[in-house]
Amino acid sequence: MQSVAEALDRLAGLAASPTVATLADAFRAAGFELALVGGPVRDAFLGRATNDLDFTTDATPDEILAVVKPVAEAHWDIGRAFGTIGAIVHGHTVEITTYRADAYDGSSRKPEVVFGTSLEDDLVRRDFTVNALALRLPERTLVDPSGGVEDLIARVLRTPSAPEVSFGDDPLRMMRAARFAAQLGFEVEPGTLAAMGALAPEIDRISAERVRDELSKLLCTGAASRGIRLLVDSGIAARVLPEVPALRLEIDEHHHHKDVYEHSLTVLDQAVDYEVSRGVLDSPDLVVRLAALLHDIGKPATRRLESGGAVSFHHHDMVGAKLARKRLRALRFDNDTIKAVSRLIELHLRFFGYTDGAWSDSAVRRYVRDAGDQLERLHILTRADVTTRNRRKADRLGFAYDDLEERVARLAEEEELAAVRPELDGQQIMEILGIRPGPVVGEAYRHLLEVRLDEGPIGPDAARERLLAWWAARGEA
């Protein structure tokens, strides 16, 4: 946290930058107000890097365009219906929005857009006091009508108006509270937290697409489990992602197993750590984080209390993958994300057979083939899934996975493992067997693929002999 003096110095430097200064001069010359607002001002106090430049003004969208066109390298108006015009000025992307005074009508899933005329009124309708800060330009005057600076210092999230009013206007702000708590490490003020619990059913008014986007932003923070915990404790997760609170299974005094809910949050934390430390994937990786959070959601449906105090969850991987597909479709995730997440959940237990006995090279090849382009993500998820407090067991699993990755790398180098396929393609199979296209070609191809997985590269001549032997065994030569 920067001191107020340091934050004002940072804001003064930002205001003097070519992008901000150019816009400030242009709007003043045209007779309009302009203020830097929200995240850039907040982040100046937090000492965080400023990535996006957001402005607000009393100019209408048409008037914003007229001011911006002469000074921008490019501009667009896809947010025009909501009062927002985007542009690139001196190489930086900016968004400029007309003062807003809109609210939900209590039943619609989208707000009715109403433009305002006052900066202070615009700030009061924003989500949290720490985001309801503005720097008037070109005067460089800090505007803070709701005590946002004090809340930044206290590291508290609070709504500018009564939380019941704010969340009633836009229930998605309750999910934003969880996201900002995770992103900034702030506590939610008790009255605001109580309102989240009381108004949790109101989240049903929000479209699946907006819920999806907010959940994705939360999961892509550095402390995603903190935000998920807030959603669960407030009852919001029960409305938008019910499979996660369902992980809080009742503990039978005679049957013992690890807390699946706490385990899942730990896996999420560890997956984020592995994702960052391995540095192979673009971080944050939403697929990894969704898979980590949801990997055990099949356990409640598959729990069985066994004799002797044991608890089993047979086939929870397959059941969980099915549940994940259903939930992610309901949240309108794209097909590629749904496919990747569900595949990782299907495969997340596969490795644990590796420690029961040494895998053959054939088993390693199948592991790689089944993971496909999700192999690196599967590495991360599998490692993150080890949450035992037994250090010897954790070390044994870690060393075993080190060994598996080394074997994958060695075989990949020797055999181009990432592109495992038979030495003969479909056209060659038809020519050798003298057959036309049809299901038999696929059967022959799969047979040769199994040979390839079992034995590694054998060369086209040996593959031809194996194909003819298979054909003869069918009695159709």
Side-chain angles (χ1 to χ4, degrees), residues 469-477:
W470 173 80
W471 187 245
R474 287 172 57 95
E476 300 180 35

Side-chain angles (χ1 to χ4, degrees), residues 446-459:
R446 287 189 291 274
H447 170 71
L448 292 178
L449 178 58
E450 290 300 313
V451 172
R452 171 71 171 80
L453 290 168
D454 286 336
E455 303 178 30
I458 61 174

Side-chain angles (χ1 to χ4, degrees), residues 291-330:
L293 178 63
L294 303 178
H295 77 286
D296 273 349
I297 60 173
K299 281 190 170 180
T302 59
R303 183 173 69 156
R304 296 292 180 270
L305 305 180
E306 310 288 357
S307 61
V311 180
S312 67
F313 303 97
H314 296 307
H315 307 301
H316 78 267
D317 46 349
M318 304 306 295
V319 172
K322 181 178 179 180
L323 291 172
R325 281 193 291 271
K326 182 178 180 180
R327 177 54 53 195
L328 296 180
R329 286 194 190 106

Side-chain angles (χ1 to χ4, degrees), residues 327-355:
R327 177 54 53 195
L328 296 180
R329 286 194 190 106
L331 289 173
R332 305 292 192 270
F333 277 91
D334 62 276
N335 289 333
D336 287 344
T337 297
I338 295 171
K339 180 180 178 182
V341 172
S342 60
R343 187 60 171 156
L344 289 169
I345 295 173
E346 285 178 6
L347 296 175
H348 82 273
L349 292 180
R350 183 75 63 87
F351 157 73
F352 292 96
Y354 189 82
T355 58

Side-chain angles (χ1 to χ4, degrees), residues 369-440:
R369 178 199 63 179
D370 291 346
D373 59 2
Q374 301 304 314
L375 182 60
E376 178 58 32
R377 285 169 168 153
L378 184 58
H379 288 335
I380 291 171
L381 177 60
T382 302
R383 287 184 179 275
D385 198 21
V386 178
T387 63
T388 178
R389 294 180 181 178
N390 183 320
R391 177 45 52 193
R392 291 182 63 184
K393 182 178 180 181
D395 288 344
R396 178 169 60 84
L397 290 169
F399 294 147
Y401 207 85
D402 289 343
D403 181 68
L404 175 58
E405 285 203 70
E406 290 172 5
R407 291 181 65 188
V408 168
R410 184 176 70 252
L411 287 172
E413 184 176 352
E414 294 172 356
E415 305 178 11
E416 298 182 3
L417 194 55
V420 170
R421 57 177 61 88
E423 278 87 354
L424 303 177
D425 61 23
Q427 185 62 41
Q428 292 169 310
I429 289 170
M430 288 188 289
E431 290 174 358
I432 291 169
L433 299 182
I435 60 175
R436 299 172 63 84
V440 174

Side-chain angles (χ1 to χ4, degrees), residues 137-180:
L137 300 168
E139 303 93 325
R140 303 182 187 178
T141 303
L142 182 67
V143 182
D144 177 16
S146 305
V149 172
E150 288 83 355
D151 286 344
L152 280 171
I153 294 171
R155 303 180 70 80
V156 167
L157 286 173
R158 181 170 56 87
T159 55
S161 56
E164 295 79 9
V165 174
S166 181
F167 295 155
D169 283 347
D170 185 356
L172 192 66
R173 289 172 175 169
M174 296 185 289
M175 291 189 68
R176 285 199 202 117
R179 191 236 302 181
F180 283 121

Side-chain angles (χ1 to χ4, degrees), residues 5 37 53 81 84 186 190 261 283 305 317 335 341 357 359 364 378 454:
V37 69
L53 294 176
T84 299
F186 284 15
Y261 171 66
S283 185
L305 305 180
D317 46 349
N335 289 333
V341 172
W359 279 5
V364 175
L378 184 58
D454 286 336

Side-chain angles (χ1 to χ4, degrees), residues 191-211:
T192 303
L193 186 60
M196 289 172 63
L199 296 175
E202 294 298 302
I203 201 69
D204 295 347
R205 291 200 276 125
I206 302 302
S207 68
E209 291 81 2
R210 293 186 72 209
V211 168

